[in-house]
Amino acid sequence: GAGVSQSPRYKVAKRGQDVALRCDPISGHVSLFWYQQALGQGPEFLTYFQNEAQLDKSGLPSDRFFAERPEGSVSTLKIQRTQQEDSAVYLCASSLKWENDYGYTFGSGTRLTVV
Amino acid sequence: AQSVTQPDIHITVSEGASLELRCNYSYGATPYLFWYVQSPGQGLQLLLKYFSGDTLVQGIKGFEAEFKRSQSSFNLRKPSVHWSDAAEYFCAVAPIKAAGNKLTFGGGTRVLVKP
């Protein structure tokens, strides 16, 4: 597609449930990022992939968060045993190159609400 | 650690009036600097970026920003605001020549435009 696609757009989960959020980057984009945006705050970095390799996961808040990109295209962010503090918009971004051009394209995000 | 401060949480401006959004950063060295805009339910769109050179940067939608090294600031301006400029604006920084290309965002400034 022409842009970065994220699904679902909205997800309501009961506390303790596992969720999986999907990101379809722009075809051919090498770099892929996940950011978490809590209500009223700026996005915060979670993790970064270059092709299928997860090169930086320093922003993942706990071991309940797990991300993968097994074939270097689609990525999934999984949150196990969701907690209320996980409620946020999860943004995915992709970039054609891995080097420093910062030419990101962001998706519209998945809004996760944990009740 | 790097940080980005946007002192104004909300700004209300009349249509046709000028707009200035403030951004200050704390960083070990001059980083790359960015302004993004986020409309409701949308992803982040890049307005402009500063890497080096002329400290006055022109962006899309009639926006410009000025980098002032002595003040560690990168303020965004628009001479005449349109109703469609109502959105949330984020300043961001990123390290120069570092792997991972991750952005550090400020908390955002929400702009309301009065008719």
Side-chain angles (χ1 to χ4, degrees), chain B residues 1-114:
Chain B
Q2 59 267 32
S3 66
V4 180
T5 302
Q6 294 180 244
D8 304 304
I9 297 174
H10 294 100
I11 285 182
T12 300
V13 60
S14 296
E15 192 168 13
S18 64
L19 174 68
E20 181 167 11
L21 303 182
R22 296 182 290 164
C23 172
N24 292 93
Y25 64 90
S26 174
Y27 208 78
T30 300
Y32 291 158
L33 297 157
F34 307 82
W35 275 99
Y36 283 86
V37 61
Q38 187 177 39
S39 298
Q42 301 298 312
L44 294 159
Q45 182 182 21
L46 180 67
L47 287 175
L48 47 81
K49 60 186 177 184
Y50 173 77
F51 282 9
S52 65
D54 191 345
T55 57
L56 187 61
V57 181
Q58 301 299 318
I60 63 171
K61 304 185 178 186
F63 284 93
E64 65 178 25
E66 185 173 13
F67 168 60
K68 293 185 176 180
R69 184 190 305 272
S70 61
Q71 298 176 19
S72 296
S73 69
F74 189 55
N75 293 350
L76 181 72
R77 299 192 292 254
K78 186 168 184 177
S80 178
V81 168
H82 187 261
W83 64 266
S84 60
D85 294 322
E88 188 143 24
Y89 292 80
F90 293 94
C91 182
V93 303
I96 295 175
K97 296 183 179 179
N101 303 355
K102 60 187 177 186
L103 297 166
T104 299
F105 288 87
T109 298
R110 182 168 296 280
V111 173
L112 304 175
V113 180
K114 295 190 301 184

Side-chain angles (χ1 to χ4, degrees), chain A residues 1 3 24-29 94 96:
Chain A
D24 280 272
I26 294 174
S27 178
H29 275 200
S94 70
L96 180 61

Side-chain angles (χ1 to χ4, degrees), chain A residues 9 31 33 35 37 40-45 48 56 58 91 95 97-109, chain B residues 32 34 36 38 41-44 46 49 51 88 90 94-108:
Chain A
R9 285 298 309 274
S31 298
F33 302 80
Y35 286 82
Q37 185 176 18
Q41 298 183 23
E44 292 191 354
F45 171 81
Y48 161 64
D56 187 345
S58 62
L91 295 168
S95 176
K97 296 187 281 186
W98 62 270
E99 57 201 15
N100 269 9
D101 72 338
Y102 295 99
Y104 302 135
T105 300
F106 279 87
S108 297
Chain B
Y32 291 158
F34 307 82
Y36 283 86
Q38 187 177 39
Q42 301 298 312
L44 294 159
L46 180 67
K49 60 186 177 184
F51 282 9
E88 188 143 24
F90 293 94
I96 295 175
K97 296 183 179 179
N101 303 355
K102 60 187 177 186
L103 297 166
T104 299
F105 288 87

